[in-house]
Amino acid sequence: MSKTAVVTAGTGGIGLETALGLAGAGFAVTVVGRDADRGGRAVARINATRPARPARFLAADLASLDQVRTLADSIAAGHAGSGEPLTVLVNNVGAMFAERRYVDGVEASFVVNHLSPYLLTELLLPTLAAGPSSRIVNVTSAAVTVAKRVFDAAEPPGGYYGFHWYGRAKLAHLAHTLDLAERLDGTGVSVFAADPGGAATDMTNGTMADPRIVSPQLRLLWPWVRRRFERSTAGPASVAARPSITAATDQALAGRTGLVIGPQAHPVAPFRAATDPRLVKAVRLLSETHAPTATGTGG
């Protein structure tokens, strides 16, 4: 049976390197992004490697949950028409903002880093489950360690600090990832988190040099913090993509689920807070409230 993959935010950086790796492993890859020109260049680069099947591009602004729904419908319809199940979904999308933003009344970092991939995954579960086995790979971040662990609302209490809020959204998505793995255990759909470590990407270039993204206490140490950020985002995207590629393709992971694949492309222990039942329940309820599926529930 042919292998198919969808990679969100796959037109550049870690996402494109992930798509290249999957194409090299024999997958027919669909990359998702906002910009058609970037999408065209990404597809051309992938196809220049002469993959077994050509890549394609689908346009969607993943900050818009309406566009996420349209994207899911398009992907599902395409697979229903071809009769091919979706083998791998890589939720690579991520964004960090120096200033507070909103999307349809919801804080943008929480939308992009959690609600968007959460909703896309939930809507595509029937397509993923149509084959004998498939994998969901959600890209996580070490920023989860600086997150506020309060999920009574989409926005945490207190001032806005982009790096911490990014980490909080990623923590929500890691909690969802591990919860989903437990929920789908035995269905043939495996769920993994992949931690890329760090790389120089469109997201890290510029934003990570803005002291507004950290709390006032860390701003007092900004020269040290900035050096840490610079070191952690200096690596090539091709290396940072290895955990996602491993999670999607490594046959040693067949039949396994609920693992975090670390920056060295090996399983690592999950951040403990992401397994807290109270936090998991709060994230689930918040997700279902702000990103309901077509049936009105995400779980």
Side-chain angles (χ1 to χ4, degrees), residues 4-7 22 27 86-90 128 134-137 248:
T4 61
V6 170
V7 182
L22 294 179
F27 285 79
L86 175 58
T87 315
V88 168
L89 171 63
V90 181
L128 286 157
S134 61
R135 299 187 187 187
I136 299 164
V137 180

Side-chain angles (χ1 to χ4, degrees), residues 156-168:
Y160 180 84
Y161 313 113
F163 181 67
H164 303 276
W165 285 41
Y166 166 79
R168 178 177 176 272

Side-chain angles (χ1 to χ4, degrees), residues 8-92:
T8 66
T11 62
I14 297 171
L16 177 54
E17 293 295 340
T18 299
L20 285 163
L22 294 179
F27 285 79
V29 179
T30 297
V31 293
V32 177
R34 290 179 298 177
D35 187 280
D37 289 338
R38 283 171 58 95
R41 290 193 295 270
V43 166
R45 183 175 169 190
I46 296 168
N47 289 341
T49 67
R50 298 187 178 182
R53 295 173 63 187
R56 66 170 183 154
F57 168 72
L58 287 178
D61 182 352
L62 296 170
S64 166
L65 296 185
D66 286 341
Q67 290 196 37
V68 170
R69 295 179 190 279
T70 300
L71 173 66
D73 287 344
S74 176
I75 294 171
H79 283 277
S82 68
E84 293 181 320
L86 175 58
T87 315
V88 168
L89 171 63
V90 181
N91 286 305
N92 174 74

Side-chain angles (χ1 to χ4, degrees), residues 92-97 107 109-110 113-114 139-144 146-147 160-173 196-197 203-204 208 213:
N92 174 74
V93 66
M96 186 187 305
F97 308 105
E107 193 273 318
S109 185
F110 197 72
N113 296 295
H114 172 56
V139 176
T140 187
S141 169
V144 298
V146 300
Y160 180 84
Y161 313 113
F163 181 67
H164 303 276
W165 285 41
Y166 166 79
R168 178 177 176 272
K170 283 294 189 180
L171 175 57
H173 203 55
M203 186 186 83
T204 59
M208 299 292 277
I213 66 173

Side-chain angles (χ1 to χ4, degrees), residues 117-274:
Y118 160 85
L119 181 61
L120 182 63
T121 300
E122 292 289 341
L123 294 175
L124 288 178
L125 284 181
T127 305
L128 286 157
S133 63
S134 61
R135 299 187 187 187
I136 299 164
V137 180
N138 291 331
V139 176
T140 187
S141 169
V144 298
T145 60
V146 300
K148 286 188 175 181
R149 304 172 192 178
V150 179
F151 292 98
D152 297 331
E155 290 189 69
Y160 180 84
Y161 313 113
F163 181 67
H164 303 276
W165 285 41
Y166 166 79
R168 178 177 176 272
K170 283 294 189 180
L171 175 57
H173 203 55
L174 179 58
H176 163 69
T177 299
L178 301 176
D179 185 38
L180 183 64
E182 185 174 337
R183 191 174 112 206
L184 297 179
D185 193 18
T187 67
V189 181
S190 295
V191 187
F192 301 99
D195 181 359
T201 66
D202 289 345
M203 186 186 83
T204 59
N205 292 340
T207 304
M208 299 292 277
D210 190 330
R212 292 177 299 170
I213 66 173
V214 298
S215 64
Q217 294 89 337
L218 287 181
R219 288 179 204 173
L220 297 174
L221 304 172
W222 182 246
W224 176 81
V225 172
R226 181 169 181 171
R227 287 195 297 272
R228 288 287 299 271
F229 281 163
E230 288 173 346
R231 286 196 296 270
S232 67
T233 59
S238 57
V239 173
R242 289 177 185 169
S244 291
I245 297 168
T246 296
T249 64
D250 192 345
Q251 287 304 305
L253 299 177
R256 303 181 70 183
T257 192
L259 299 177
V260 178
I261 307 302
Q264 303 305 314
H266 299 297
V268 297
F271 183 50
R272 188 171 180 178

